[in-house]
Amino acid sequence: MTKNILLSGVGGQGTITAAKMLTIGLMEAGYDVKMSEIHGMSQRGGDVVSQVRYSKEKVYSPVIDKGTADIVVSFEEMEALRCLDYLQPGGTVVVNTERIPSMTVLTGAEEYAEDVIEEIQKAVEKTHVMDASGMAKELGNVKAANVILLGALVKLMGLDDIDWEGIIRKNVKEKFVDLNLKAFQVGADAVK
Amino acid sequence: MKRLLTGDEAIARGAWEAGVTHASAYPGTPSTEILENIAKYEEIYAEWAPNEKVAMESAAGASMAGARSIASMKHVGVNVAADPMMTFATMRVNGGAVLVTADEPGMFSSQNEQDNRNFAKMGKMPMFEPADSQECLDMMKEAYEVSEEYGALVLMRMVTRVCHSKSLVEVGERKEVPVKPWEKDLARFVCVPANARVNRVNMEERTKKLAEYSENCKFNFAEYGDGKVGVIASGPSYYYAKEVFGEDASYLKLGFTNPLPKNLIQEFASKCETIYIIEEDDPYIEEFVRVLGIECHGKDVFPSYGEMTPNVLRKALYGEELPQVEYAKEKVIKRPPTFCAGCPHRGLFYRLGKRKDVMITGDIGCYTLAFAQPYAALDAAICMGASISMGHGAQKVYNKAGIKRKVVTVLGDSTFFHTGVNSLMNTVYNNSNTINVILDNRITGMTGHQQNPGTGYTVKGEEANMIDMETLVRAIGIKHVKVIDPNNLKEVDEAFDAFWDLDEPSVIITRYPCVLKKFSPADLEQFPGLFQTKNVVDAEKCIGCKLCQKTGCPALIFDKATKKVVINRADCVGCDVCTQVCPKNAIVKEEK
């Protein structure tokens, strides 16, 4: 059975890095993995979506069908809401309580609703709201928020038996290894 | 050993394993990473060409000289390269030659959607269509064998989803392929009419042989199910179809698609009750199948445009998507791409957008985003280099008709070198009087920071000759040239004022590095203090007029509670555009 993970965020939040570590872990654990990214405009404030599919058998499509994601992990509130089309009924959402206004909000053309989290909770029973950015700040670097979310994702998908420590060691700069190992654990603990 | 590679990485790896020694390309999403990855192999000479035509010609020359060569580009790049491609394709190649076209069904970052498989048909070029990264690698290796065996330029048709999705790839070793001997062979390499007529006849023979190859090619294969539904698919559509039609259906997966395997298709069709043809963009396979007299469904059921993802197929077939959670869709805001905080295009367009009686013709790059609010400072965009020539055409009309409207053209540094320079020659030669702005941000920005003839470095990071844009522009015959700092709004205004009423063409070069660029030593020397400060709003002075927000900077946020603007410190790089706009001098440098 193919599992589907969708990660979403805004350019610069570390979505792509988190997805990369996730896929490496899955590959090393012997899964067939496909990952798809649309990031053409990501550095210019656009949204970023990484889709990861894995299975012990062959994975066909690199893209997730609407209504089939087991979990949506979003680095930003609005980007979680935007991606709910992909979630399967009964699926799980992890959402970071960060709100990044888009240009349409800054210019006043649109309103960023105050109750995005409530709307997600209304729609999805298994919603985990996390202040990953705040937690990362406490650890000393706001950029570790992505690994906190990765830790939560791994826990919720039951992928704990993969050697994540080794993967983090291999994929982040040496001076950030300890920070990221802590961040990963903080994330996993937050959804226990 | 298996590796997780994108399609672009696998194409590069395949080229390396196939013994390629020469690679030329022009950046364009989603093809850019092919050359970037090829450049990492020291056995391969790799270069960014100023445009796709030059890249194709560079690869053609390398092939004639006896090397295995590759040119890679996005789909619209092939339009630029079509001239050399169409004739090189008639010639019997020496070293194997492959042209990679990265098509964009769904247009994630493109100005049009076009199915470049039609080029293969028109140019009678053998063509492969990989479905995943493993096929990218395997087909590249096979493509060079086909190219040399049949003496033909091979087209490798990629799509965004194959370029940018990752899957597991069993990699191999490099096969060293020595440079083949070159001998003077006028009939073969000089395409004058007498030789071209011979080539034309030979192509028919070649196509016949390739048709036989297609029947037996390992990338064209059938998988039989219960015999009811048969799906013929190419590229990633094969995998999408498998998600929707499941294991009971039969599949004819076509990986070598020009010429198409007639017998294989007929045999497959005879074993299935209903045939569906699933392919991205045009009914390329479908038309072939219909000509064979086989009844089938294709674009009568599935869309003629966009990706054929499982969701699209399901909707087309069954009229509905899979069940989804219900949520407040109306609360989802748009998130269009914007100029980054510190983008050197901001100041220029903020001021240019305020001018009256002006038409602004644009080009392909980040600056195309100037069409959007709050600037609305770009009125047209078609293709690379077109800003200057379209603007010339428009200005001629206005001048002749006595309409008082100034035409300003805008394009980037890489785009100017691409084809803008030819357009500027036309403007000078034909006595136009447009103002032409070259946004020189010292890099090819939109595609993710590739070097170009003006940056002083090659794709391999080695130092290169730097084309001096100002000298070039003057050499073409532009007498009125100003090089300005686009973050200085007064300089921007003065440059336009000085050139606005001229009867001769003029050029404004805005020179300031892209904020996302990895700055070179030359940048740091030329632009001291580059993006090293932060600005803050003095809340005492801010009156909440929001004028600063009209510059469209994402770092400026209006706080509804205090009714004042605050600057997001993490985003601000101290470009000072907002400082110059504030009527109360409320935006100041952060104290260290």
Side-chain angles (χ1 to χ4, degrees), chain B residues 34 36 126 183 207 222 231-232 245 254 316 339 350 378 398 412 418 443 544:
Chain B
I34 295 173
E36 286 182 328
E183 278 161 33
T207 299
V231 175
I232 302 176
F245 288 89
L254 298 179
F339 292 151
Y350 172 71
L378 197 133
Y398 293 143
H418 180 279
I443 200 74

Side-chain angles (χ1 to χ4, degrees), chain A residues 35-36 53 65 79 115, chain B residues 161 166 314 331 335:
Chain A
M35 194 253 262
S36 182
R53 309 190 70 223
D65 205 346
E79 296 316 312
D115 57 347
Chain B
R161 225 34 108 151
K166 284 189 178 181
R314 222 180 282 282
K331 290 194 177 171
R335 199 178 288 285

Side-chain angles (χ1 to χ4, degrees), chain B residues 23-322:
Chain B
S24 192
Y26 184 80
T29 310
S31 72
T32 311
E33 297 92 332
I34 295 173
L35 190 81
E36 286 182 328
N37 281 286
I38 283 179
K40 293 175 187 165
Y41 297 109
E42 59 182 52
E43 294 91 341
I44 307 180
Y45 166 79
E47 65 182 19
W48 288 125
N51 67 40
E52 295 86 352
K53 175 180 184 290
V54 175
M56 178 74 256
E57 290 157 351
S58 174
S63 159
M64 287 179 204
R68 287 193 165 184
S69 71
I70 179 174
S72 55
M73 53 200 66
K74 71 181 292 169
H75 62 302
V76 284
V78 179
N79 300 336
V80 181
D83 193 0
M85 174 186 78
M86 291 300 290
T87 300
F88 183 49
T90 69
M91 191 186 278
R92 190 159 53 83
V93 306
N94 191 15
V98 173
L99 170 61
V100 183
T101 168
D103 292 9
E104 272 239 299
M107 295 170 275
F108 297 97
S109 10
S110 295
Q111 64 267 43
N112 79 359
E113 189 181 71
Q114 66 181 46
D115 188 337
N116 278 2
R117 294 180 300 174
N118 295 304
F119 272 122
K121 194 176 168 189
M122 184 161 61
K124 297 161 185 66
M125 290 175 270
M127 170 169 62
F128 290 90
E129 283 187 70
D132 61 13
S133 300
Q134 183 72 60
E135 281 198 339
C136 287
L137 186 146
D138 295 343
M139 286 181 179
M140 278 301 283
K141 288 159 83 172
E142 179 72 4
Y144 283 96
E145 300 303 321
V146 167
S147 178
E148 290 180 0
E149 170 78 21
Y150 299 90
L153 169 66
V154 174
L155 192 67
M156 183 70 54
R157 194 243 189 171
M158 305 274 283
V159 292
T160 309
R161 225 34 108 151
V162 174
C163 290
H164 282 175
S165 69
K166 284 189 178 181
S167 53
L168 295 176
V169 179
E170 186 77 54
V171 297
E173 289 306 313
R174 176 172 167 91
K175 180 176 106 172
E176 287 299 341
V177 181
V179 172
K180 288 187 170 184
W182 174 80
E183 278 161 33
K184 214 170 165 75
D185 188 344
L186 304 178
R188 182 175 178 187
F189 296 123
V190 183
C191 292
V192 292
N195 296 338
R197 285 183 209 112
V198 178
N199 284 346
R200 182 67 193 85
V201 175
N202 289 345
M203 283 173 90
E204 292 306 300
E205 205 48 44
R206 180 176 90 187
T207 299
K208 267 185 215 159
K209 286 183 188 153
L210 282 164
E212 268 171 52
Y213 167 82
S214 185
E215 299 289 353
N216 302 303
C217 175
K218 64 182 170 185
F219 297 111
N220 291 337
F221 59 88
E223 296 166 331
Y224 287 101
D226 62 15
K228 282 184 188 144
V229 170
V231 175
I232 302 176
S234 70
S237 299
Y238 163 69
Y239 286 127
Y240 301 147
K242 284 215 144 186
E243 298 281 348
V244 175
F245 288 89
E247 301 296 331
D248 290 339
S250 302
Y251 296 90
L252 180 61
K253 157 79 166 75
L254 298 179
F256 182 82
T257 49
N258 194 48
L260 283 158
K262 181 181 150 199
N263 298 337
L264 212 55
I265 291 170
Q266 277 171 330
E267 187 193 341
F268 180 79
S270 72
K271 291 178 182 170
C272 303
E273 284 174 26
T274 312
I275 298 286
Y276 288 99
I277 295 170
I278 304 178
E279 54 192 326
E280 286 181 330
D281 294 342
D282 293 344
Y284 171 85
I285 298 171
E286 182 182 342
E287 284 174 1
F288 181 85
V289 172
R290 287 192 189 279
V291 168
L292 293 178
I294 297 167
E295 221 177 284
C296 62
H297 292 292
K299 298 300 178 189
D300 56 329
V301 177
F302 309 110
S304 304
Y305 47 84
E307 296 185 287
M308 294 297 117
T309 53
N311 196 61
V312 171
L313 297 182
R314 222 180 282 282
K315 222 166 148 180
L317 272 172
Y318 310 121
E320 57 182 15
E321 300 176 338
L322 291 173

Side-chain angles (χ1 to χ4, degrees), chain A residues 5 22 26 31 54 153-164:
Chain A
I5 298 173
L22 175 65
L26 292 165
Y31 289 101
Y54 64 99
L153 163 66
V154 161
K155 187 83 199 163
L156 291 165
M157 291 303 288
L159 294 166
D160 324 48
D161 51 347
I162 295 171
D163 175 22
W164 295 106

